[in-house]
Amino acid sequence: MTVEETCKKHGEVPFWIVCKHVGDGSADTIIFSENKDALCFDCAHNFQKLTDQDVVAMCEECLKDFTAELMIATKTFANLKDRVQGLEHLKKK
């Protein structure tokens, strides 16, 4: 789910609902959904147990920056699918 808000770095942009691990940059994996949310693998596999305290809003541009960092850190294309899934949902406008 996206909502327009103001990011200190990027201005007025869509915000995504993400797990706190993605939001604080501590996630080493990420799954994007067609619902415009992004969760680390652990949270995605236990999403029924997530509470309001487990999710935050994140600027779409900051989310793209974080995803790029994860992809670069992967180092090999073969390992990319183990770290980032559903990237096509982030690219859609």
Side-chain angles (χ1 to χ4, degrees):
M1 180 178 100
T2 57
V3 219
E4 290 280 324
E5 291 188 29
T6 303
C7 172
K8 292 178 184 177
K9 184 177 179 183
H10 297 104
E12 190 78 16
V13 293
F15 273 63
W16 284 50
I17 302 302
V18 301
C19 71
K20 63 183 177 183
H21 307 110
V22 171
D24 68 14
S26 66
D28 60 355
T29 59
I30 190 168
I31 298 176
F32 297 97
S33 85
E34 64 277 358
N35 297 325
K36 304 299 181 195
D37 55 42
L39 306 172
C40 70
F41 285 8
D42 289 340
C43 288
H45 289 98
N46 294 305
F47 73 92
Q48 298 93 344
K49 296 180 183 178
L50 294 178
T51 66
D52 290 345
Q53 292 78 32
D54 297 321
V55 295
V56 297
M58 185 176 195
C59 156
E60 185 172 80
E61 295 304 315
C62 290
L63 184 55
K64 287 178 181 178
D65 292 345
F66 175 67
T67 303
E69 290 173 15
L70 275 181
M71 293 172 75
I72 290 166
T74 301
K75 297 186 181 172
T76 65
F77 186 74
N79 293 333
L80 188 57
K81 68 178 178 165
D82 295 330
R83 298 200 73 187
V84 178
Q85 293 180 4
L87 189 60
E88 66 275 9
H89 301 298
L90 181 61
K91 293 180 180 179
K92 288 185 179 177
K93 292 288 179 184

